[in-house]
Amino acid sequence: MANSHRSLDEAALWDQAIEIAENVSVLPGFKSISTGMNAGERFWRSLIDTLRIVEARGIDIFIDAGRLMVDDPRVVFIREAESVALFSANTLPAIASVHATLQHGDIVEGRDAGWLRTELEQIGHFDRLDLIMTNVNAPGNTYPARPAAKSLGVELLGSLPWNPRGAAQFTFDIPTTLPKRNAYVRALKSLVLSYSERLVGQVEDELSEEIER
């Protein structure tokens, strides 16, 4: 509504934000993917511009963009992001689906082939893409995270076990009877550490490039 009246500003964002911990807030998304896609590119561009103002105050912003596809208006997040984390299960169908977005003419052809790689290469930042693998205990063809990342041509940021009970405490704030140091929590902490190191390294590389110029 704010965007339709050309008043999508920082105050409008904070009005919708929900504080879930000290200095941590969540801005709820649309109820369905179709609603988000129909919001139009102008809405997402306005949202990005407003989030830049928030970021300038020293606030880190993480965006769960959900499933993206070619010509998706939300792809503006990919173009503007300092880091892009791609999630995939370790099953053959999931890896093949990701592969189709990153490689040209292998599984799919036409404009859909490798569209995500194309988007990032156009702005010179394919190196900002990392993979996070969910290790599903499923019958059939599953693959280790590191070889899968290598076949996709991206860096592996980390992996998480398939553990709905462990994840529920973070996703839905549901109390768990699992030990505090369960496998999911340990993997999550390791992933956060890896991501922090990745972002710090990226900032250092960018500063070095600026100095060399």
Side-chain angles (χ1 to χ4, degrees):
M1 289 292 292
N3 180 65
S4 64
H5 290 84
R6 299 186 181 277
S7 59
L8 182 57
D9 55 16
E10 184 180 1
L13 289 190
W14 288 118
D15 284 345
Q16 298 295 318
I18 301 171
E19 187 174 3
I20 59 175
E22 185 178 359
N23 297 324
V24 179
S25 296
V26 170
L27 186 67
F30 291 102
K31 291 183 178 180
S32 67
I33 294 177
S34 59
T35 303
M37 291 187 66
N38 291 333
E41 189 171 345
R42 187 172 73 85
F43 167 79
W44 297 112
R45 182 68 262 172
S46 297
L47 180 58
I48 285 289
D49 291 342
T50 306
L51 289 173
R52 286 292 187 198
I53 297 173
V54 177
E55 182 187 41
R57 300 185 185 281
I59 299 174
D60 292 325
I61 298 171
F62 294 85
I63 297 173
D64 179 359
R67 293 176 179 267
L68 297 178
M69 57 194 72
V70 66
D71 293 332
D72 195 312
R74 296 168 298 159
V75 80
V76 65
F77 290 131
I78 300 294
R79 299 190 189 113
E80 297 285 341
E82 295 178 351
S83 174
V84 179
L86 186 64
F87 284 77
S88 173
N90 62 332
T91 62
L92 181 59
I95 294 171
S97 177
V98 173
H99 189 276
T101 70
L102 297 179
Q103 307 299 334
H104 297 279
D106 228 0
I107 298 176
V108 296
E109 297 180 353
R111 294 179 62 251
D112 288 356
W115 72 267
L116 181 56
R117 172 183 285 272
T118 300
E119 286 285 349
L120 290 169
E121 287 181 339
Q122 283 178 347
I123 58 174
H125 288 309
F126 183 72
D127 60 331
R128 291 184 179 180
L129 180 66
D130 295 295
L131 178 71
I132 298 175
M133 185 74 76
T134 300
N135 295 320
V136 179
N137 294 322
N141 294 327
T142 58
Y143 299 89
R146 200 163 298 282
K150 185 177 181 179
S151 70
L152 294 170
V154 295
E155 293 293 325
L156 177 67
L157 195 62
S159 59
L160 294 170
W162 176 256
N163 188 335
R165 287 179 61 201
Q169 60 183 312
F170 302 101
T171 306
F172 305 111
D173 195 26
I174 296 176
T176 178
T177 57
L178 294 173
K180 289 185 177 180
R181 291 283 296 172
N182 62 71
Y184 189 86
V185 170
R186 291 196 300 271
L188 193 59
K189 287 184 176 180
S190 177
L191 179 59
V192 170
L193 179 61
S194 295
Y195 209 2
S196 298
E197 292 175 347
R198 173 77 162 101
L199 292 175
V200 169
Q202 183 174 303
V203 170
E204 291 176 347
D205 290 342
E206 291 175 354
L207 287 175
S208 297
E209 291 177 3
E210 288 294 327
I211 292 173
E212 290 177 0
R213 290 173 188 169

